[in-house]
Amino acid sequence: MKRTTVKDALASATSVDSILVQGWVRTRRDSKAFSFLEINDGSCLKGLQVIVDAALPDYPQVARATTGASVSITGKLVESKGAGQKWEVVAETLAIVGEADATYPLQKKGHTLEFLREIAHLRPRSNLFGAVFRVRSRLAYAIHRFFQERGFVYVHAPIVTASDCEGAGELFRVTTLDPKNPPLAEDGSVDFTQDFFGKKSYLTVSGQLEAEVFACAFSNVYTFGPTFRAENSNTSRHASEFWMIEPEIAFCDLRGNMDLAEEFVKALIRDVRAHCAEDLEFFSKFVDKGLLARLDFVLERPFQRCSYTEAVEILEKSGKTFDYSVSWGTNLQSEHERFLTEEHFKCPVTVFDYPKEIKPFYMRLNDDDRTVTAMDVLVPGIGEIVGGSQREERLDVLLANMRRHGLSEKDYSWYLDLRRYGTVPHSGFGLGFERMLMFATGVGNIRDVIPFARTPGHCEF
């Protein structure tokens, strides 16, 4: 008999004379004549109630059907007489697939998020994390759908790279050299020419530069994959390994880039509202009571656009005391970004034209020689959710930018070739997948939207 998922069983239009359900026991209640099992298989938030009659030959197996045990049940899907569910299963056979003893840590009681992070191999079986990772799966699909429907080509950027796209130096080194006895050059430094790749290599911080290569051949491309930052930051918003979505568009200026980014954010929210309603209701009830209103807030309102200079003036004149002071030439902090979206404009905001000193080398220099064509999309509750720019397509200006940032022309010769051979205006942005998940679910810590979080001092599983 073909297995029926709990989701499909609960969504059935009619009763079914013979059904096979398999999953894990959430709860069991025993009475004199019956036992009631709640079975969940991860296909949806709700469990399926199974009634096991004490007269069944398999009834002695019920004693082994403890919380966490896996079971296989055949029976009839019938209308439920109890409140809270439309359908239930009247069991005809019950088999215990795998037992779970009393040490199973997910008993029916409250658990802290800190405790659940310690058992990341079991937390997907909880209601909260089941909902989080179903939304994560759906959003990943929605991302591919958004770009594929618009003719973008999906590019797999390398995980191991020799370039530091952002220039921040927060890189994980990849090496096969013996740390106790590395080969040395004449000056006493480590001789990386003898390393596996013949040079210093790292885990990537961004697939952007490689995406530019493909945008200059396919016009519209996107990458979606893991990126890494060796930043010793223990905050609720930072992880050492996270996923990024990075589209790159040829023949596109900053305005077109902002149009796509704003459309993208709205499309993802619209998709999760349409396809994850049950999970979102759970989040709005138990995680963030204002979640649905905030998601609809972004969906229903057009994005306001303002320059970085205007944003700084607004913040300086606000009369509000911030933890971080505001002045032209400094990065906007999360508290500043949230003030702009939540209190001043009262809508999502796209800030553009940032000072060149605080942005990477590849961003296009504006005519004022003070700012670059950078943009950040800000949303309420989170702050920055997208960061991007128009890229510098002029060879001479790019070379000057690289010299100002102390970058080697030799190391980036391939990148410069894109400007030598058929250069075009092009733009792109990056959206942090986990940041988007935090916004979509209301979950406040990035560690709780990643299956296995990698943070300073933590690399379990």
Side-chain angles (χ1 to χ4, degrees), residues 220-237:
N220 297 338
V221 303
Y222 71 105
T223 73
F224 183 14
T227 53
F228 307 85
R229 299 283 165 87
E231 182 180 4
N232 190 18
S233 180
N234 281 290
T235 76
S236 62
R237 293 158 51 90

Side-chain angles (χ1 to χ4, degrees), residues 8 42 88 138 161 166 206 214 264 294 312-313 327 330 389:
D8 288 343
E88 61 190 15
R138 179 68 208 189
T161 178
E166 298 301 318
S206 169
F214 275 73
F264 182 45
R294 191 167 62 251
V312 169
E313 290 174 355
S327 61
T330 60
S389 72

Side-chain angles (χ1 to χ4, degrees), residues 68-87:
S70 54
V71 296
S72 182
I73 296 166
T74 63
K76 295 181 179 179
L77 185 71
V78 300
E79 286 192 45
S80 177
K81 297 176 183 177
Q85 67 264 341
K86 182 180 179 183
W87 301 107

